Amino acid sequence: MNNLTEEQRAAATTLAKRVLVTACPGSGKTQTFAARIRHMIDDQKVLPSTIAAITFTRLGATEIRERVGQAARGAFIGTLHSFCLRMLREMGGQLGYEPEWLTIMDDVDAELDMKEVLCDMGFIRKKPKGGFDWLKVGSTTWDDFVMGVTSGKLIERRPEHVQLWLAWDAFRARCRAQNQLTFGLILYEAMALLDKPEALAYFQNRHRHIMIDEFQDTDCLQWSIVLRLAQRAEPDTLWACGDEDQSIYAFRGAEPHQMVAFAAEPTTEIHHLTRTFRFGPKIATAASNLISHNKD
């Protein structure tokens, strides 16, 4: 902890159960994230196996593992997709999968399977010379629907989407019959698994300390999974860090307002990492002047 600034040390060692760390670019967020894990294990005597540290990329997970070292053995450090895939490979049988040989389709095979379902449902028709004619809905409408469902923005089954939901359910049933998942289905099916009381209790008890990196780039479904795991009767800790002004993945469903809402909760303790080690006053001033125009 000696190499941390006062701000970093406070964020890493807090005893609060709900913590939000806002981190400007170059402020040592990864270092603080790793220090938090070490502090829980070394000082708070938290069992590594109860820690789930969710990173945005595999590269980020590797960097954190290297910084924490052997102390983190037994803790989960990785992306949310890998975390959810591990859940499904443990208890996916409750959804009809055979977990021991569950596989992931690549994007090409996933698209072909989806179009086979859409053909069977009468949404599209194969052209004699290749390609498809869209009959019931346009391709953009379907793509937007799938994005909305897999990002968690579309939850309610409204009457105007009845046919779209039927096609989506048929696609999920096909994937389950083939014992396969698409990349987009991993999180969706993990959330469905957490709707099962037995699975929810098991994973909540197992992952008692949850950490989230790059909070601003999570979508509604991703944050819902985290909250479901963290909403124990006797909650332990939920520690998240990010920067709402660095959110650039809205086109993929990222919802930075979730970070703003978490900050507004009365039980959330907020820490700010305000000192950057990446650039000087000229860049900081220019960036701050631009960011000051953000309406929210």
Side-chain angles (χ1 to χ4, degrees), residues 3-12 21-36 38 63-64 67 211 213-214 239 241-243 246 272-279:
N3 60 337
L4 300 181
T5 66
E6 184 177 342
E7 290 178 338
Q8 293 169 341
R9 187 179 300 108
V21 180
T22 69
C24 72
S27 59
K29 173 171 61 66
T30 301
Q31 182 178 20
T32 306
F33 196 98
R36 172 65 177 178
R38 290 198 305 269
E63 184 178 356
I64 290 171
R67 287 175 183 254
M211 301 177 63
D213 190 18
E214 304 292 0
W239 192 97
C241 63
D243 182 357
Q246 291 187 64
H272 301 291
L273 304 185
T274 60
R275 181 182 178 186
T276 181
F277 301 91
R278 188 177 297 166
F279 47 79

Side-chain angles (χ1 to χ4, degrees), residues 29 54-56 212-218 241-243 246:
K29 173 171 61 66
I54 309 299
T55 63
F56 192 65
I212 299 291
D213 190 18
E214 304 292 0
F215 187 2
Q216 76 280 353
D217 288 323
T218 58
C241 63
D243 182 357
Q246 291 187 64

Side-chain angles (χ1 to χ4, degrees), residues 16 19 42 59 70 91 107 155 162 199 224 242 245 275-276 282 286:
V19 181
D42 296 340
L59 179 63
Q70 291 298 311
M91 299 190 73
D107 291 342
I155 300 177
V162 168
S224 294
D245 291 318
R275 181 182 178 186
T276 181
K282 289 185 178 179

Side-chain angles (χ1 to χ4, degrees), residues 49-62:
S49 59
T50 64
I51 298 173
I54 309 299
T55 63
F56 192 65
T57 63
R58 286 177 291 180
L59 179 63
T62 299

Side-chain angles (χ1 to χ4, degrees), residues 93-136:
Q94 294 200 19
L95 297 177
Y97 291 104
E98 296 185 37
E100 62 275 9
W101 59 279
L102 187 60
T103 58
I104 310 300
M105 284 186 280
D106 61 32
D107 291 342
V108 174
D109 287 338
E111 184 177 358
L112 288 174
D113 266 28
M114 189 171 285
K115 286 185 175 177
E116 287 290 340
V117 170
L118 293 176
C119 279
D120 293 342
M121 299 284 293
F123 277 71
I124 61 178
R125 177 178 57 204
K126 292 181 180 179
K127 294 181 179 179
K129 295 184 179 181
F132 296 87
D133 285 321
W134 287 81
L135 304 176
K136 289 187 177 180

Side-chain angles (χ1 to χ4, degrees), residues 3-279:
N3 60 337
L4 300 181
T5 66
E6 184 177 342
E7 290 178 338
Q8 293 169 341
R9 187 179 300 108
T13 61
T14 177
L15 297 177
K17 293 183 179 295
R18 294 289 185 271
V19 181
L20 175 64
V21 180
T22 69
C24 72
S27 59
K29 173 171 61 66
T30 301
Q31 182 178 20
T32 306
F33 196 98
R36 172 65 177 178
I37 298 175
R38 290 198 305 269
H39 172 70
M40 284 194 294
I41 296 172
D42 296 340
D43 302 323
Q44 296 183 343
K45 306 306 177 184
V46 169
L47 288 175
S49 59
T50 64
I51 298 173
I54 309 299
T55 63
F56 192 65
T57 63
R58 286 177 291 180
L59 179 63
T62 299
E63 184 178 356
I64 290 171
R65 287 193 204 100
E66 291 174 349
R67 287 175 183 254
V68 178
Q70 291 298 311
R73 292 189 64 179
F76 176 86
I77 303 175
T79 65
L80 188 59
H81 279 85
S82 61
F83 179 78
C84 289
L85 181 58
R86 190 175 74 164
M87 290 170 54
L88 291 167
R89 283 179 169 158
E90 287 189 52
M91 299 190 73
Q94 294 200 19
L95 297 177
Y97 291 104
E98 296 185 37
E100 62 275 9
W101 59 279
L102 187 60
T103 58
I104 310 300
M105 284 186 280
D106 61 32
D107 291 342
V108 174
D109 287 338
E111 184 177 358
L112 288 174
D113 266 28
M114 189 171 285
K115 286 185 175 177
E116 287 290 340
V117 170
L118 293 176
C119 279
D120 293 342
M121 299 284 293
F123 277 71
I124 61 178
R125 177 178 57 204
K126 292 181 180 179
K127 294 181 179 179
K129 295 184 179 181
F132 296 87
D133 285 321
W134 287 81
L135 304 176
K136 289 187 177 180
V137 296
S139 60
T140 300
T141 300
W142 174 252
D143 290 343
D144 289 346
F145 172 78
V146 172
M147 175 61 73
V149 169
T150 55
S151 67
K153 288 189 174 181
L154 276 180
I155 300 177
E156 296 182 19
R157 300 196 171 208
R158 297 177 179 175
E160 63 267 27
H161 293 150
V162 168
Q163 293 299 315
L164 298 175
W165 279 108
L166 288 174
W168 173 252
D169 290 339
F171 175 66
R172 288 178 66 202
R174 182 186 179 101
C175 290
R176 289 183 180 184
Q178 297 173 161
N179 207 48
Q180 291 182 305
L181 290 166
T182 67
F183 188 73
L185 263 178
I186 293 174
L187 302 187
Y188 191 89
E189 291 290 61
M191 191 64 180
L193 180 59
L194 293 178
D195 286 334
K196 306 290 185 180
E198 180 183 346
L200 177 61
Y202 172 77
F203 290 116
Q204 283 183 331
N205 187 60
R206 178 174 177 176
H207 303 293
R208 302 171 69 95
H209 303 273
I210 301 175
M211 301 177 63
I212 299 291
D213 190 18
E214 304 292 0
F215 187 2
Q216 76 280 353
D217 288 323
T218 58
D219 61 34
C220 296
L221 180 58
Q222 292 167 343
W223 184 232
S224 294
I225 291 171
V226 170
L227 288 180
R228 184 70 64 86
L229 290 170
Q231 287 174 344
R232 291 166 42 84
E234 296 180 3
D236 289 290
T237 59
L238 172 57
W239 192 97
C241 63
D243 182 357
E244 71 277 12
D245 291 318
Q246 291 187 64
S247 182
I248 60 173
Y249 288 99
F251 69 95
R252 279 184 4 198
E255 184 49 79
H257 290 90
Q258 293 175 149
M259 182 173 173
V260 177
F262 185 57
E265 293 180 8
T267 57
T268 301
E269 180 178 283
I270 303 175
H271 292 264
H272 301 291
L273 304 185
T274 60
R275 181 182 178 186
T276 181
F277 301 91
R278 188 177 297 166
F279 47 79

